[in-house]
Amino acid sequence: EIVLTQSPATLSLSPGERATLSCRASQTVNSYLAWYQQKPGQAPRLLIYGASSRAAGIPARFSGSGSGTDFTLTISSLEPEDFAVYYCHHRYKWPPKSLTFGGGTRVEIK
Amino acid sequence: EVQLVQSGAEVKKPGESLKISCQGPGSNFATSWIGWVRQMPGKGLEWMGTIYPGDSHTTYSPSFEGQVTISADKTISTAYLQWSSLKASDSAMYYCARHSFDASGFPFDHWGQGTLVTVSS
């Protein structure tokens, strides 16, 4: 089973700063890497799919990159509503045989 | 806008059975793939399994196979997650979510609001 390791666990930043979140896979994965945002008391929301494509309605300040085992979510300039927990996600084969989430990165206000 | 509407919060005792539901729009529910995701208190997301309501084909995470049953009734556009004998460790928020076939990798593009299950004696 592929394990996704996110780092750091917590990122303390101020509004307007750049956030860089990492997701590392335990083995080389295809580009089926997605990122979700979850705010307290809410369901997750899809931000990025296919490693680098923004989902519908997602602001341009969110971008995804990476390949192989190393992937990055970048928030170019943090807005107050961006302070949340972010999860990466990978799906192996279809119908899914294995579908894993990373442990999450909390982006908190410094 | 695809809306998945889940059943309400449940409080159960250990050993009891439970079935929670997730209803989607009728127009294309039968041809959607619906997943269930667990989130224990203060913890991350765990995929439990995915069902195709059109023919009820289901895949399970090894961690959950045998522990829960995922089913669907396409005639009423509803997917289900059920337990035959709950444990305290089943206390969690449970989300249903739709896999998107418009996006590479088929990520979850629409989520239900979640059903909170509390198991306590």
Side-chain angles (χ1 to χ4, degrees), chain A residues 1 31-32 34 36 38 41-46 48-50 87 89 91 94-103 106, chain B residues 33 37 39 43-47 50 57 59-63 95 99 101-109 111-113:
Chain A
E1 180 179 304
S31 62
Y32 298 156
Y36 298 85
Q38 187 178 33
Q42 296 185 17
R45 176 175 72 144
L46 177 65
I48 300 288
Y49 63 90
Y87 296 96
H89 161 226
R91 188 266 300 167
W94 190 264
K97 300 289 187 186
S98 171
L99 194 160
T100 57
F101 290 93
R106 179 181 304 278
Chain B
W33 291 76
V37 175
Q39 188 167 39
K43 301 298 184 182
L45 305 171
E46 301 172 271
W47 173 68
T50 289
H57 179 79
T59 60
Y60 290 92
S61 162
S63 298
Y95 294 102
H99 288 274
F101 272 58
D102 294 326
S104 169
F106 310 150
F108 293 121
D109 65 342
W111 294 69
Q113 82 277 20

Side-chain angles (χ1 to χ4, degrees), chain B residues 1 5-6 11-12 23 26 34 36 39 41 46 53-54 76 79 102:
Chain B
E1 172 75 15
V5 180
Q6 297 186 229
V11 179
K12 292 289 190 178
Q23 186 171 37
I34 303 295
W36 285 95
Q39 188 167 39
E46 301 172 271
I76 56 172
D102 294 326

